[in-house]
């Protein structure tokens, strides 16, 4: 495998970009192999997670053919939106405070709707902006206290409640698996998220997206039906912080 790039230091963008492209190519092959193992054929969207990296990471991902970029902080993302001139799709993947809802409606897809109160705030902001905001319901399958999201037991009631938010379009589910989970635990989490997507669909939402899989677990996620993976470290290298 090609080395993971170091954070861009400002000297040689072409070399950095070439390294990111080679990593993207390798990751796409691993996604395709996981799909083949599970006999799945639908397109899996690769979201390059550029949090903590500069705008060059977005530019390098774009040059590698990636069209979707993920950020976990509104303000950091807004800086990059202003700094790049390529029309990537922006994904908000991090926990959102309600007072950031106005900023959240600048994103193409908000993955992290983790409470009805936040849903209301984003719904209001979308209404004011005159748009229907595409969102995902974040679910906490493992029940870890450090992770946000609707519990599995609350998903059906939330799916019903979300029907009334006219400025939200609930397109599916996002989840995060525990770090260092066993393969069995990963599969249990990813299957739990898939079941919630069925619950959303049954409630009438256009729930076709399953956002699951990060650098350490994306192959299992793809085998379990992920339609979108969120990858940072495996493309851009270790983050100094997040
Ligand atoms: C940072 C982050 C990722 C990417 O994590 P990596 O392990 O670097 O691939 C994915 N999803 C969310 C919600 C994140 O915050």
């Amino acid at each position: 495998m090609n080395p993971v790039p170091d954070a861009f230091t400002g000297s040689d963008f072409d070399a950095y970009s070439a390294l990111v492209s080679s990593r993207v190519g390798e990751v796409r092959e691993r996604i395709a192999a996981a799909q083949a193992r599970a006999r799945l054929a639908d397109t899996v969207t690769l979201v390059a997670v550029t949090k903590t990296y500069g705008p060059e990471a977005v530019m390098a991902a774009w040059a590698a053919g990636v069209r979707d970029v993920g950020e976990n902080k509104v303000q950091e993302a807004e800086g990059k939106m202003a700094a790049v001139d390529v029309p990537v799709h922006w994904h908000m993947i991090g926990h959102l405070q309600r007072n950031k809802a106005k900023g959240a409606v600048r994103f193409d897809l908000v993955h992290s709707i983790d409470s009805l109160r936040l849903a209301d705030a984003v719904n209001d902001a979308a209404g004011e902006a005159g748009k229907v905001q595409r969102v995902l319901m974040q679910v906490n399958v493992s029940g870890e206290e450090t992770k946000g999201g609707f519990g599995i037991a609350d998903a059906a009631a939330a799916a019903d409640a979300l029907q009334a938010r006219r400025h939200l379009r609930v397109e599916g589910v996002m989840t995060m698996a525990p770090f260092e989970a066993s393969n069995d635990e990963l599969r249990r989490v990813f299957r739990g998220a898939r079941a919630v997507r069925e619950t959303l669909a049954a409630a009438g939402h256009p729930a076709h997206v399953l956002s699951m899989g990060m650098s350490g677990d994306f192959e299992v996620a793809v085998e379990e039906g992920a339609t979108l993976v969120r990858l940072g470290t495996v493309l851009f290298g270790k983050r100094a912080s997040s």
Side-chain angles (χ1 to χ4, degrees):
M1 286 228 281
N2 286 294
V4 180
D6 292 324
F8 182 63
T9 52
S11 51
D12 189 348
F13 178 77
D14 289 346
Y16 171 73
S17 183
L19 208 45
V20 169
S21 278
S22 67
R23 295 299 295 199
V24 167
E26 286 166 0
V27 161
R28 287 203 190 282
E29 280 174 22
R30 288 169 63 184
I31 290 171
Q35 286 190 285
R37 284 194 295 278
R39 300 192 157 74
L40 296 169
D42 289 344
T43 305
V44 174
T45 300
L46 170 56
V47 175
V49 177
T50 49
K51 67 186 183 195
T52 78
Y53 291 105
E56 304 79 20
V58 180
M59 300 301 294
W62 176 268
V66 174
R67 295 294 172 262
D68 295 85
V69 162
E71 289 281 333
N72 70 337
K73 295 196 176 108
V74 170
Q75 215 180 347
E76 181 183 341
E78 283 176 338
K80 278 172 226 178
M81 288 175 184
V84 303
D85 57 2
V86 289
V88 289
H89 303 131
W90 295 91
H91 296 249
M92 170 43 63
I93 62 173
H95 174 66
L96 259 178
Q97 255 131 24
R98 278 178 295 146
N99 61 10
K100 295 283 163 55
K102 268 200 171 61
V105 303
R106 295 189 60 187
F107 289 79
D108 293 285
L109 183 64
V110 175
H111 294 226
S112 42
I113 297 297
D114 57 7
S115 72
L116 290 177
R117 276 155 52 110
L118 176 63
D120 283 339
V122 175
N123 183 61
D124 290 348
E128 278 167 33
K131 70 179 286 198
V132 173
Q133 179 63 46
R134 300 171 54 220
V135 301
L136 304 179
M137 181 195 279
Q138 183 174 347
V139 296
N140 181 351
V141 180
S142 60
E144 280 182 295
E145 281 183 15
T146 52
K147 289 206 164 67
F150 290 91
I152 292 291
D154 304 326
D160 285 341
L162 286 169
Q163 286 172 331
R165 274 65 173 182
R166 292 180 38 243
H167 297 285
L168 300 182
R169 183 180 153 91
V170 184
E171 297 199 349
V173 171
M174 182 272 247
T175 203
M176 277 189 273
F179 291 108
E180 318 263 301
S182 68
N183 265 16
D184 284 352
E185 172 70 359
L186 288 176
R187 286 187 199 282
R188 195 182 70 76
V189 166
F190 294 144
R191 285 173 192 171
R194 203 167 66 197
V196 172
R197 183 178 62 170
E198 299 314 315
T199 302
L200 285 170
H205 299 285
H208 52 90
V209 177
L210 256 188
S211 168
M212 54 192 202
M214 302 170 42
S215 290
D217 58 24
F218 71 92
E219 287 156 300
V220 177
V222 168
E223 287 176 17
E224 294 298 336
T227 67
L228 185 158
V229 293
R230 309 177 308 267
L231 304 180
T233 315
V234 73
L235 300 179
F236 302 113
K238 256 192 155 47
R239 286 179 292 273
S241 68
S242 64

